[in-house]
Amino acid sequence: MAEGLRWVSEACPFGFSLVFCAHFAPEEVLVRLGARRETPYPLTRLRARDIEVRNAADEPWDLDHLEDLEVAAVEALGFLRPETDAVVRAGSARGGAYAIQASLSYVSARNHRPALSRGTRVIAVGPDVNATRRVDYAVDGRVLSSFDPGIPAHGDGVEPSALARPSDGGGMTSPQVLEYPESRFGLWVPKDPGGRRLPAAGLSTR
């Protein structure tokens, strides 16, 4: 059932990164982001966040108290390393797959848009916790259009007009950033109350 996108900003109030890839399976999206094919592991949104916060701490803490997390398994797959500063989850949506990360934006930090879009179409949106805000549209390895939701009338890319950006000069709120690809491309992701497990990869922006 289509749930729309607005719920993402409500579930991730401190920021998010949301990427859609046409015609892909979730695991392929993670591989294109840099994961090894054998490493994706099913995690909930809450546990993915716990791992990111834990790894960012000066003195990482033990996660053995989390009864729904197999700590030995995620440790063996590289999730609990200091350099693993991004936990990205992927799921299926109509016409392809999506990748989602709360708070930060691994895709923007490493500029994976060209690699993600080889042979397909990618739409990426997200205001992250570091105040990095982008709406990107890439096709077959090229970023056609990209703009900052704070100043949507000004954009770049090889074909800036590929996205019909708002032209009134006003900035876009987080819900509006999500409503834009929903209305423009008909995109949606299933609503995630926090306990839904999706294939996840532990990645590094370093």
Side-chain angles (χ1 to χ4, degrees):
M1 176 180 178
E3 301 284 359
L5 297 178
R6 190 182 183 94
W7 70 265
V8 176
S9 64
E10 299 168 354
C12 306
F14 300 109
F16 56 87
S17 176
L18 186 58
V19 180
F20 296 88
C21 297
H23 314 303
F24 279 0
E27 291 78 8
E28 181 62 28
V29 174
L30 295 177
V31 169
R32 289 207 177 195
L33 286 172
R36 300 194 310 275
R37 290 194 178 275
E38 67 274 15
T39 58
Y41 184 86
L43 288 175
T44 66
R45 173 168 52 84
L46 299 179
R47 293 300 165 250
R49 181 199 61 190
D50 289 340
I51 290 172
E52 281 192 348
V53 172
R54 179 259 184 204
N55 290 351
D58 291 334
E59 295 184 10
W61 54 83
D62 198 324
L63 296 177
D64 288 336
H65 65 287
L66 300 176
E67 296 181 357
D68 61 340
L69 182 68
E70 296 184 34
V71 177
V74 295
E75 184 171 18
L77 292 172
F79 281 88
L80 303 184
R81 298 171 182 169
E83 63 270 22
T84 301
D85 56 358
V87 178
V88 181
R89 301 161 66 236
S92 298
R94 182 176 56 196
Y98 66 93
I100 188 167
Q101 182 187 10
S103 299
L104 300 172
S105 180
Y106 172 80
V107 175
S108 295
R110 294 293 297 270
N111 190 21
H112 277 280
R113 294 165 299 175
L116 274 174
S117 65
R118 285 197 311 271
T120 189
R121 179 184 73 173
V122 166
I123 298 99
V125 298
D128 75 15
V129 73
N130 294 326
T132 300
R133 302 187 298 172
R134 301 301 301 176
V135 176
D136 301 312
Y137 181 44
V139 176
D140 200 18
R142 298 192 308 159
V143 179
L144 298 185
S145 186
S146 176
F147 66 86
D148 180 339
I151 45 174
H154 301 279
D156 51 30
V158 297
E159 295 180 26
S161 62
L163 283 177
R165 301 187 305 275
S167 58
D168 59 9
M172 302 167 69
T173 64
S174 291
Q176 288 174 328
V177 170
L178 289 163
E179 289 166 359
Y180 178 78
E182 182 178 351
S183 61
R184 175 81 167 80
F185 298 102
L187 301 176
W188 61 273
V189 295
K191 191 170 184 178
D192 182 357
R196 184 174 181 227
R197 292 180 180 270
L198 293 174
L203 304 166
S204 175
T205 62
R206 303 173 189 175

